[in-house]
Amino acid sequence: MPIGARVTRLTYRSLVVAAAAALMTMPLSPAGAHNAPARESRPVHSYQNAIRESVWVDTRLDGDGDGRTDRVAVDIIRPREPDRSGRKIPVIMDASPYYACCGRGNESQRKTYDANGDPVQFPLYYDNYFVPRGYGFVAVDLAGTNRSDGCVDVGGRSDVQSAKAVVDWLNGRGRGYTTRTGTERARAHWTDGRTGMIGKSYDGTIANGVAATGVEGLETIVPIGAISSWYDYYFAKGAPLYDSGPEWLSDYVESPGARARCQAVQQRLIDGAPRTGDLTALWSERDHVPDAGKVRASVFAVHGMQDLNVRSKHFGQWWDALAAEGVERKVWLSQAGHVDPFDFRRAEWVKTLHRWFDHYLLGYDNGIEREPMADIERAPDRWSTDRVWPPRSTDATVLRPGQGTAPGVGTLSLTPARPGTAETFTDDRERDETDWAAAIDRTTPEKAGFLTAPLNRDLRLSGSSTVRITATPTTTSAHLSAVLVDLGPDTIRDYAASGEGITTLPERTCWGPGTAGDSSCFKETRARTKAVDYTIFSRGWADLGNHASAATGRPLTPGKPHTITLDLHASDHVVPAGHRLALIVAGTDRYLIDPPASTPTLRLDLARTSARLPVVGGAPAFVRATAGAPVPPGRDASRPLDGVAEPREIRPVPGGDSR
């Protein structure tokens, strides 16, 4: 990915921010003329006496077709002291569909209100921590949820406009009202309009979508485990990832009143998202990646590399698009699943987020934009950093599968297989990637595996991979899976277990002041780990029927070879010396994709199959790691390897068990 284009823009932005910081922190009296500029906001404002209010912002859309434009509920908490002095403040915003139906965070907190309808509890810690430091916090109910009008359209125009309209209102461009149906106007006189959006899962997806509109006043976004393309949430190049579509999620989050008035929207979601996996206009509207060039905000992305709900492909393609456009960006990549960094690296996360918002919303020159771009979790609670990500020496390296000494147990190297060389496997919908990896050294009918010899030095893969497959099916339908595996003992976060890599503890820590109705104290967590014999670190799927078009599937011709490219999920993984790198190609990955209509046997053409992997150091690094490889340690090849627990079936709820 291009990195050089990023440098000029970052340097210019840094100068602007530094200048703004100097102006904002300049002392007003000569006596303080030589004081150092402030580098961190302090908790100097009263949380208990903060202003708590609700406003209804006009979205200028009529999603429910009732003849009047929809208003979304905006619950606000802001420090009283700046309001008294006339000083304007920036805003941190979390726009969500989950504030009433399901809750936010590891403890599923919901909004609460007093007898007058004024907000009492704001879920999560953003209000407790940042309001005393001079920020306003705004919690937006997306259209069709909680106290908002309209309908949920699952990532569509209404969802995005629900939050964009609030950014416009904060910047004096929109209309707000003191009640849901009244005419008394509410104006955001108290803010300078500088807004940062944050949120996990669906909430972070809305932040991506609003940033992709290029709205003025949105200075930064912090998407955590967020979707970048809703099609890729429900399908992988035609292969369905769930047994339902967006209408299920819409029904799940909508307020009871919205369900009755939004049947037409529900039907449009059904009609526009056929289970064939075709890329329709509905999905194109919900793809933010092509609009990365409109993004004005800086982006601090967080993603679990083992997130099996919002898979890391979403992060990878969004990151690559932002990089191509020179957008200021930073990333944390964890070993966890769909988990908020507040629950896997709490103290460091709050500290870093504080400095990020101070820089991009208050203009403090604290140097965060000059620090390493990436934090990567290498082992549970052990992190490394990279100045840029992926590292500059990363190069796409093409590895080739080859035949081994037993059927389905082949080699993986830089050398192409001889023309006509093939392996055969039969789709088994009762097997998954953990079954395949556990039997990597044995011939089994449902997969073909290809392995390097044990490495003589570490080999790092950093970024997104693809696998190009040419296969001949025996039936008119077939699904394909490809996974990358690190074969060797390790201790990892148990991402497939309950908690997705964390265990929630009874003890609490507090992050700012609280009130009787809004505590700042949250349950602590620790890493939930597992000793394994292998680690699956990247995966991807496709419907072979989409071989001719990523947008449209078609029946296969039995006995005819078809070629398709599978997009594997972004990752950053080091295969240690002594371990082996493996590529597995198979059919249905149980619980992660739905099976095809038939049960095909596929003949894999090895000469026309390859993996394009982001190797740090490129092909020379691969050669050094595999040349003169040591003899593998003695092991009973018939003993199944011990991997993580079988992945549980996941319903399509961006937010999972730890919303």
Side-chain angles (χ1 to χ4, degrees):
M1 64 182 62
I3 296 175
R6 178 73 198 88
V7 176
T8 301
R9 185 172 172 180
L10 176 60
T11 303
Y12 173 76
R13 175 74 176 262
S14 300
L15 292 173
V16 172
V17 169
L23 290 173
M24 294 179 68
T25 58
M26 187 175 293
L28 300 179
S29 64
H34 299 292
N35 291 345
R39 294 176 61 85
E40 181 179 276
S41 60
R42 300 289 184 180
V44 298
H45 304 299
S46 170
Y47 178 79
Q48 289 76 10
N49 295 326
I51 297 170
R52 294 166 172 83
E53 59 188 339
S54 298
V55 170
W56 278 260
V57 171
D58 191 339
T59 67
R60 302 186 297 279
L61 300 175
D62 181 11
D64 52 17
D66 64 356
R68 62 183 182 87
T69 52
D70 303 327
R71 296 180 183 181
V72 291
V74 182
D75 293 319
I76 301 166
I77 180 170
R78 54 190 175 90
R80 191 174 298 274
E81 296 87 346
D83 197 60
R84 288 171 175 165
S85 64
R87 183 169 64 85
K88 298 181 184 300
I89 61 174
V91 166
I92 297 169
M93 178 196 298
D94 187 346
S96 177
Y98 291 133
Y99 283 130
C101 77
C102 329
R104 305 307 297 128
N106 195 27
E107 299 176 50
S108 299
Q109 290 186 323
R110 294 170 172 82
K111 286 182 179 179
T112 62
Y113 303 90
D114 64 18
N116 297 321
D118 294 325
V120 173
Q121 175 171 272
F122 291 80
L124 307 177
Y125 62 96
Y126 304 135
D127 57 316
N128 308 90
Y129 188 85
F130 285 104
V131 168
R133 289 170 165 78
Y135 294 85
F137 177 68
V138 169
V140 181
D141 296 326
L142 295 187
T145 70
N146 201 15
R147 301 198 296 173
S148 290
D149 300 333
C151 302
V152 176
D153 65 353
V154 188
R157 186 184 180 198
S158 178
D159 268 9
V160 173
Q161 183 64 14
S162 294
K164 180 183 179 294
V166 179
V167 177
D168 283 332
W169 175 73
L170 292 168
N171 283 272
R173 298 187 299 269
R175 291 189 177 186
Y177 298 88
T178 58
T179 62
R180 187 171 186 171
T181 59
T183 59
E184 182 181 354
R185 295 284 295 276
R187 291 178 171 83
H189 60 84
W190 47 271
T191 177
D192 59 13
R194 295 173 65 85
T195 304
M197 291 186 67
I198 189 170
K200 178 191 167 198
S201 200
Y202 203 137
D203 305 14
T205 304
I206 298 301
N208 283 342
V210 175
T213 69
V215 62
E216 185 177 352
L218 183 61
E219 302 297 324
T220 191
I221 62 171
V222 185
I224 302 166
I227 294 167
S228 58
S229 164
W230 280 92
Y231 176 85
D232 292 318
Y233 183 73
Y234 285 99
F235 296 95
K237 199 164 285 188
L241 305 180
Y242 299 107
D243 59 2
S244 63
E247 76 283 353
W248 186 94
L249 182 54
S250 174
D251 185 66
Y252 183 77
V253 302
E254 272 182 335
S255 61
R259 292 192 185 101
R261 67 177 185 263
C262 295
Q263 292 303 308
V265 175
Q266 284 279 87
Q267 191 60 48
R268 286 197 293 271
L269 291 175
I270 294 171
D271 295 342
R275 298 306 294 159
T276 60
D278 288 351
L279 187 59
T280 63
L282 180 143
W283 298 121
S284 297
E285 178 187 322
R286 291 159 174 78
D287 185 358
H288 306 312
V289 177
D291 292 323
K294 298 178 184 178
V295 174
R296 301 183 183 188
S298 60
V299 179
F300 185 177
V302 181
H303 219 103
M305 292 183 285
Q306 297 289 8
D307 191 337
L308 299 180
N309 184 344
V310 181
R311 293 153 295 277
S312 60
K313 178 185 178 182
H314 292 277
F315 154 73
Q317 61 192 8
W318 184 232
W319 181 267
D320 289 348
L322 295 173
E325 298 295 341
V327 174
E328 294 186 49
R329 63 205 186 278
K330 184 177 178 67
V331 63
W332 277 20
L333 294 175
S334 79
Q335 281 196 351
H338 201 56
V339 182
D340 193 295
F342 188 73
D343 294 318
F344 62 69
R345 201 187 184 194
R346 183 168 297 179
E348 186 64 24
W349 169 246
V350 175
K351 173 185 173 183
T352 305
L353 184 65
H354 179 189
R355 297 178 64 239
W356 184 264
F357 281 145
D358 272 1
H359 179 68
Y360 287 101
L361 297 182
L362 286 176
Y364 288 172
D365 183 15
N366 55 22
I368 194 166
E369 81 284 7
R370 299 185 292 274
E371 293 176 0
M373 181 182 286
D375 280 35
I376 314 292
E377 188 175 24
R378 294 292 168 209
D381 296 323
R382 183 170 62 81
W383 294 75
S384 66
T385 62
D386 286 281
R387 176 61 56 184
V388 295
W389 192 88
R392 296 185 190 277
S393 62
T394 304
D395 195 14
T397 303
V398 178
L399 300 187
R400 312 280 186 168
Q403 276 190 322
T405 56
V409 184
T411 62
L412 188 64
S413 69
L414 296 173
T415 305
R418 296 189 310 275
T421 308
E423 293 286 359
T424 301
F425 61 88
T426 300
D427 193 333
D428 184 345
R429 63 190 63 199
E430 298 303 317
R431 299 287 180 173
D432 65 18
E433 57 190 37
T434 61
D435 298 314
W436 308 333
I440 189 67
D441 287 318
R442 293 183 287 120
T443 300
T444 60
E446 78 283 351
K447 60 96 172 74
F450 308 95
L451 308 81
T452 67
L455 306 181
N456 58 40
R457 64 179 67 191
D458 294 354
L459 184 69
R460 179 181 175 187
L461 288 78
S462 181
S464 301
S465 305
T466 59
V467 176
R468 185 172 176 82
I469 293 173
T470 296
T472 301
T474 58
T475 59
T476 58
S477 64
H479 292 167
L480 289 170
S481 300
V483 299
L484 296 177
V485 189
D486 171 353
L487 294 165
D490 204 350
T491 298
I492 65 172
R493 286 187 183 264
D494 194 358
Y495 62 86
S498 175
E500 302 186 52
I502 64 167
T503 296
T504 302
L505 307 174
E507 297 82 13
R508 294 180 179 271
T509 55
C510 303
W511 299 87
T515 63
D518 193 332
S519 173
S520 67
C521 305
F522 299 86
K523 291 181 178 179
E524 277 287 327
T525 69
R526 66 166 178 260
R528 178 169 180 170
T529 64
K530 184 177 181 67
V532 297
D533 288 331
Y534 62 84
T535 304
I536 298 167
F537 63 91
S538 186
R539 51 187 62 83
W541 312 285
D543 184 333
L544 187 56
N546 283 62
H547 64 94
S549 169
T552 307
R554 62 185 64 179
L556 301 170
T557 302
K560 177 182 177 181
H562 303 80
T563 300
I564 193 168
T565 299
L566 281 64
D567 300 319
L568 272 59
H569 303 163
S571 184
D572 193 303
H573 185 83
V574 176
V575 183
H579 289 204
R580 294 175 292 167
L581 171 64
L583 165 68
I584 300 174
V585 179
T588 300
D589 195 346
R590 187 186 185 199
Y591 296 134
L592 295 180
I593 63 171
D594 289 346
S598 55
T599 304
T601 294
L602 296 110
R603 183 178 185 273
L604 189 65
D605 185 338
L606 300 189
R608 299 169 63 190
T609 296
S610 61
R612 187 177 177 88
L613 309 184
V615 176
V616 177
F622 181 83
V623 170
R624 287 192 297 270
T626 55
V631 177
R635 181 170 61 82
D636 179 2
S638 65
R639 179 178 67 88
L641 296 173
D642 182 24
V644 298
E646 180 177 281
R648 68 187 186 286
E649 185 174 6
I650 301 172
R651 293 295 297 174
V653 183
D657 293 337
S658 51
R659 279 180 294 269

